[in-house]
Amino acid sequence: MPELPEVETVRRGLQKILEGEVIEGVEVRDTRLRYPVDEKKLGRGLPGRRIKELRRRAKYLLILLEADGAREEACLIIHLGMSGRVYFSKKAETAQPHTHVIFSLRGGRELHFRDPRRFGLVDLVPLASLEDDRRFSSLGVEPLSDECSAEYFFDRSRKLRQPVKNFLMDSRRVVGIGNIYASEALFLARVHPQRAAGRISLETWGRITAVVKEVLGEAIRQGGTTLNDFQGPDGTAGYFQVLLRVYGREGEDCSECGATVRKKVLAGRSTYYCPRCQH
Ligand SMILES: [Zn+2]
């Protein structure tokens, strides 16, 4: 599943080509995604629109469109779901199987949205309604923003007995810390994944916050970790394995102390940790 670093990598790749481009047309080949694609809405709202900016919120790609005539500023929302991809193709090139939506661009290229498992999403909303949109209004802070701080986590965790790993993976508090990144960050911060969030000191939250940012930032620099056939939107292979220090290493020696790495299931997710380094 594409995680936040992959989506951010995609955003950066798309940004170079899409900003300033004009969408000429849209072809919906199959509306049957998790939420059906509203073909009429896209057909009315997209052709002729200039792309102003590419943003990301959690794992949503947000393509901001300039106002034009009677049409107000709008936002094309794309979510990659479990298996979604967006990539550029030349016009008249045959689309790959499972390509559900094709955006044609004035510059001669097409942007293809492909999603074999159909958990993705393509939608168009007025920019003004984005803040109140149910998909976004309950989301917590962005992990790489300044709002995501030791104080933020400390304040929100007081009295909670919830394990710190589950706390970090709750998108109502902070978005985009997936299972692999949570395990890796807690290993680097030397905090046991089952420790009660409410008993973690401000100082320790400082350590956790710093490594969360470091781990996600490193994954973005490397192009993401979780899809082993991950491709950047320009079609080049964008997959570089970020060094996973503890994730998937059950039974191996801890790289720091030599103790045996353990695996435990927390909230249904495989959790890896070193029983000696992490307290
Ligand atoms: Zn260790």
Side-chain angles (χ1 to χ4, degrees):
M1 190 191 314
E3 294 287 346
L4 185 143
E6 283 83 6
V7 179
E8 179 58 21
T9 303
V10 170
R11 186 193 72 80
R12 291 177 185 189
L14 294 178
Q15 182 177 39
K16 290 180 222 154
I17 290 170
L18 284 184
E19 279 183 8
E21 255 285 10
V22 175
I23 299 176
E24 268 195 341
V26 56
E27 179 192 346
V28 180
R29 296 191 156 191
D30 197 330
T31 59
R32 294 168 302 161
L33 296 182
R34 187 177 192 177
Y35 301 98
V37 182
D38 189 336
E39 197 174 353
K40 279 190 187 151
K41 188 161 71 169
L42 299 185
R44 272 197 312 269
L46 290 179
R49 286 276 202 142
R50 185 174 297 278
I51 296 167
K52 189 178 173 186
E53 199 186 330
L54 269 276
R55 287 189 201 162
R56 177 190 55 74
R57 177 74 173 109
K59 295 200 278 183
Y60 292 91
L61 286 166
L62 306 176
I63 303 178
L64 270 57
L65 307 168
E66 287 179 4
D68 110 45
R71 298 186 295 186
E72 57 183 323
E73 273 189 297
C75 179
L76 176 62
I77 304 172
I78 296 178
H79 195 289
L80 302 177
M82 306 284 284
S83 59
R85 292 273 183 77
V86 282
Y87 58 93
F88 291 109
S89 176
K90 291 204 179 74
K91 275 184 190 170
E93 246 172 45
T94 317
Q96 293 179 36
H98 311 292
T99 298
H100 308 311
V101 186
I102 296 177
F103 306 93
S104 48
L105 305 170
R106 189 164 289 172
R109 275 189 259 225
E110 291 176 341
L111 181 68
H112 289 202
F113 176 81
R114 177 170 186 262
D115 186 5
R117 294 181 66 183
R118 300 173 182 276
F119 281 98
L121 171 140
V122 177
D123 196 11
L124 181 69
V125 299
L127 187 62
S129 73
L130 204 58
E131 230 170 87
D132 301 322
D133 192 295
R134 272 191 303 143
R135 289 168 287 205
F136 302 102
S137 53
S138 63
L139 293 178
V141 296
E142 284 287 331
L144 295 169
S145 70
D146 293 340
E147 285 171 286
C148 177
S149 64
E151 289 76 14
Y152 175 87
F153 285 135
F154 181 79
D155 291 348
R156 277 157 190 79
S157 61
R158 290 312 84 193
K159 295 188 179 154
L160 288 181
R161 287 153 85 179
Q162 185 182 33
V164 58
K165 177 165 176 269
N166 304 359
F167 179 93
L168 286 173
M169 288 178 64
D170 186 339
S171 65
R172 291 168 300 182
R173 299 197 185 93
V174 55
V175 299
I177 305 182
N179 193 40
I180 295 177
Y181 298 113
S183 277
E184 290 294 303
L186 290 170
F187 174 72
L188 289 173
R190 304 172 77 86
V191 173
H192 196 288
Q194 274 182 304
R195 201 152 135 197
R199 304 198 58 170
I200 291 177
S201 68
L202 182 60
E203 191 199 342
T204 303
W205 274 122
R207 226 159 62 218
I208 295 171
T209 311
V211 294
V212 159
K213 289 174 193 274
E214 193 184 306
V215 164
L216 292 174
E218 176 62 16
I220 291 169
R221 278 190 296 279
Q222 298 286 331
T225 58
T226 53
L227 289 181
N228 41 18
D229 57 349
F230 180 74
Q231 261 187 345
D234 55 358
T236 58
Y239 174 66
F240 307 99
Q241 178 73 52
V242 167
L243 176 66
L244 296 178
R245 294 160 183 94
V246 72
Y247 191 87
R249 294 189 181 275
E250 184 191 17
E252 293 180 30
D253 293 347
C254 167
S255 55
E256 295 297 308
C257 76
T260 305
V261 172
R262 285 193 194 156
K263 176 181 163 183
K264 204 165 227 157
V265 176
L266 280 185
R269 308 299 301 274
S270 298
T271 303
Y272 298 86
Y273 65 99
C274 171
R276 199 184 290 161
C277 290
Q278 294 175 255
H279 305 284

